[in-house]
Amino acid sequence: MDNPSKIMEGGVEFSIGKFDGKSMNYDFPKILVYLNAKGKLLFGEKFKLYKEDRNILLKLCSYFIKDKTICKKFGIDVEKGLLLSGPVGCGKTTLMKLLRHLVPLQRPYEMIPCRNVTFSFNHLGYKTIEDYGNSRFYCFDDLGVEPPGRFYGKDCNVMGEVLLSRHDLFLQSKQKIKTHATTNLNAEELEERYGNRVRSRMRELFNLIAFDEGSGDKRR
């Protein structure tokens, strides 16, 4: 029987908690040790987790391991997806790429740059919106800064339409079809970009987890 408290990476076994055969008790400091090692394997030796991001990491890890006590404390609904927001370069994309490895038995999500969705729409039209309205799990990266959609002379707010499709899917599915996203924009900017209707659906679709506005650019 698989032991979910142990994860093998690069020939090294990491313990991320204790498993008694029925339930799993995660250990946050051990999770951070594992994520730091996994990050170096995925992104290179320069990767590191930052002390100032510890609160964000606690929220994100609690969501992925479905720690209902901590999630309740932070007002996080484990049935919804995540909208991770913060300034350029604060590490949103990196963390979303990393954290999908934390619970290997969970259904993985695919990272999709929003600009790729728009480029696909400009080439293929409305089939693109249908394609993303399926039951796969996605994390749409860099929401709100994608170029405008245009197909045969008609303008389309492509990601707005994709989010409406994903919202319909989320409401209809018994086992919630999850959608995640990262964005540099705040709530007002998102509403300006996508309109009030999409913004209200986003509240039902996502938990908002935000970096401090003063978070530095880690890519420098």
Side-chain angles (χ1 to χ4, degrees):
M1 182 184 176
D2 286 339
N3 184 343
S5 71
K6 311 282 184 200
I7 302 181
M8 287 293 291
E9 285 297 345
V12 179
E13 184 178 81
F14 291 88
S15 166
I16 56 170
K18 288 197 174 85
F19 181 60
D20 64 7
K22 288 181 184 170
S23 61
M24 176 72 195
N25 284 313
Y26 287 94
D27 182 321
F28 184 55
K30 286 181 178 176
I31 286 175
L32 295 183
V33 171
Y34 163 70
L35 290 176
N36 210 41
K38 181 66 176 176
K40 287 186 189 310
L41 287 171
L42 288 173
F43 309 113
E45 277 302 311
K46 287 186 176 175
F47 173 85
K48 67 172 184 173
L49 298 173
Y50 291 81
K51 271 186 185 166
E52 64 262 33
D53 295 340
R54 198 177 168 92
N55 199 34
I56 287 268
L57 281 162
L58 177 61
K59 290 177 184 176
L60 291 171
C61 291
S62 301
Y63 170 84
F64 281 106
I65 64 175
K66 297 187 172 164
D67 184 322
K68 290 193 173 154
T69 308
I70 296 178
C71 285
K72 191 175 179 186
K73 179 182 161 189
F74 289 119
I76 295 168
D77 181 345
V78 294
E79 296 297 323
K80 294 183 183 181
L82 294 174
L83 176 62
L84 186 58
S85 79
V88 172
C90 68
K92 303 178 295 292
T93 304
T94 301
L95 287 182
M96 288 306 287
K97 283 180 176 173
L98 175 62
L99 281 155
R100 60 185 169 174
H101 298 281
L102 181 56
V103 187
L105 299 175
Q106 269 181 25
R107 223 173 130 183
Y109 51 86
E110 202 176 330
M111 295 289 294
I112 307 284
C114 290
R115 66 176 184 276
N116 290 13
V117 180
T118 304
F119 291 150
S120 172
F121 174 86
N122 293 350
H123 182 59
L124 299 169
Y126 289 88
K127 180 182 183 299
T128 299
I129 293 165
E130 285 171 29
D131 287 348
Y132 285 108
N134 64 28
S135 59
R136 289 165 77 173
F137 286 15
Y138 293 111
C139 178
F140 294 110
D141 196 27
D142 255 350
L143 182 68
V145 293
E146 69 277 0
R150 197 170 175 81
F151 187 68
Y152 280 104
K154 280 192 173 176
D155 291 334
C156 177
N157 194 331
V158 180
M159 282 310 304
E161 292 299 324
V162 168
L163 290 174
L164 289 174
S165 293
R166 300 291 299 176
H167 176 262
D168 289 345
L169 200 64
F170 175 73
L171 292 184
Q172 290 160 12
S173 55
K174 278 196 181 115
Q175 283 189 312
K176 298 294 186 191
I177 303 294
K178 293 236 175 101
T179 306
H180 307 299
T182 71
T183 186
N184 304 331
L185 307 187
N186 62 31
E188 291 77 34
E189 290 166 328
L190 285 167
E191 189 161 323
E192 197 177 303
R193 181 78 168 78
Y194 297 112
N196 180 264
R197 180 166 165 246
V198 174
R199 175 75 189 117
S200 72
R201 302 295 190 283
M202 286 172 76
R203 287 190 192 99
E204 294 179 12
L205 201 54
F206 296 125
N207 295 286
L208 175 62
I209 295 181
F211 280 85
D212 289 337
E213 283 184 23
S215 293
D217 189 337
K218 299 181 176 81
R219 296 183 292 203
R220 286 178 181 164

